[in-house]
Amino acid sequence: MKLLQYLLVLTILFSFSSALNAQQGNVTVEQALKQQNIEGQFDIVIKKSGRYQEYKVIKQVWINKLKANVTDTLKTLEGKLNTTNQQIADQKTTITGLEASLAKTNEDLASVTQQKDSMGFFGASVTKSSYKTIMWVIVGVLLALLGFFIYKFKNSNAVTIQAKKALTETEEEFEDHRRRSLEREQKVMRKLQDEINKQRKAGAK
């Protein structure tokens, strides 16, 4: 059964190959030189050419047409190659421009990033972390000075209150001393007046 299938497939392939060869055989050289590609044209011309000993005899018209076809094909390929080279050159120019633009963009991005991450401090450019550190140091120093001044103020205030209290006590003591001195003076004056009065009475007798 399998043998019959193989024979059937071989028969079909042989028939297809024979038909193809017959079709190629029916194609004239003139038609082949108009329709076939360069390789096919060479094949047809060689196949249809006559033979003399070990040489092939090719018609002048065929070789001229084949030459013209080859020349046209080469010109077409040369034109395509030139176009392709021009496209490659244009693409290289575009790529160079894009690379330059990308480099400029990267520089601008780096500059913006640096400006974003830095701040001006007394005319100098410092990073944000350094700026924060400097600001915290300044705040710390100001807080320390504030604490020192508060401490000095409290001490001065305590000394002032103490001085005022001492002054008040001194004034009270002075007032008490003055009052006692006045009382003593008044007593002495009364005694002196009494003595004067006694002397006057004694003199009158």
Side-chain angles (χ1 to χ4, degrees), residues 29-192:
V29 175
E30 287 76 10
Q31 292 175 341
L33 291 175
K34 293 179 180 180
Q35 299 175 359
Q36 299 289 332
N37 56 24
I38 296 299
E39 184 179 2
Q41 292 178 20
F42 272 104
D43 291 339
I44 291 295
V45 168
I46 293 171
K47 183 176 180 181
K48 295 292 185 177
S49 299
R51 179 182 294 278
Y52 176 73
Q53 295 180 358
E54 71 271 17
Y55 304 104
K56 277 286 187 177
V57 181
I58 303 175
K59 291 183 179 181
Q60 184 71 33
V61 64
W62 292 357
I63 196 68
N64 289 336
K65 180 62 176 175
L66 187 59
K67 176 184 176 182
N69 291 343
V70 171
T71 302
D72 291 340
T73 301
L74 289 176
K75 288 182 179 179
T76 301
L77 291 176
E78 185 178 0
K80 290 181 178 179
L81 181 60
N82 291 334
T83 302
T84 302
N85 289 334
Q86 184 61 42
Q87 290 176 351
I88 292 173
D90 294 340
Q91 289 176 355
K92 285 183 178 179
T93 303
T94 303
I95 291 172
T96 302
L98 291 174
E99 288 177 347
S101 177
L102 179 61
K104 182 66 170 58
T105 302
N106 289 334
E107 290 179 1
D108 294 340
L109 180 61
S111 177
V112 170
T113 303
Q114 184 178 4
Q115 291 178 0
K116 181 181 177 182
D117 293 336
S118 63
M119 301 183 69
F121 186 75
F122 292 108
S125 179
V126 295
T127 61
K128 283 187 175 180
S129 58
S130 300
Y131 178 80
K132 289 180 180 179
T133 303
I134 293 172
M135 291 304 298
W136 277 114
V137 169
I138 292 175
V139 170
V141 171
L142 292 177
L143 288 176
L145 290 175
L146 178 62
F148 175 75
F149 286 127
I150 291 175
Y151 171 75
K152 294 294 289 183
F153 174 77
K154 286 185 176 180
N155 284 345
S156 299
N157 192 30
V159 171
T160 303
I161 293 173
Q162 206 170 35
K164 285 182 178 180
K165 184 178 179 181
L167 180 60
T168 303
E169 291 176 354
T170 303
E171 288 178 349
E172 289 176 354
E173 289 178 359
F174 176 76
E175 185 65 27
D176 187 53
H177 177 71
R178 189 181 66 81
R179 182 177 52 78
R180 286 196 301 268
S181 297
L182 184 59
E183 289 177 353
R184 284 195 300 269
E185 184 180 353
Q186 288 175 353
K187 286 180 182 181
V188 171
M189 290 298 292
R190 280 196 298 269
K191 286 181 180 181
L192 180 60

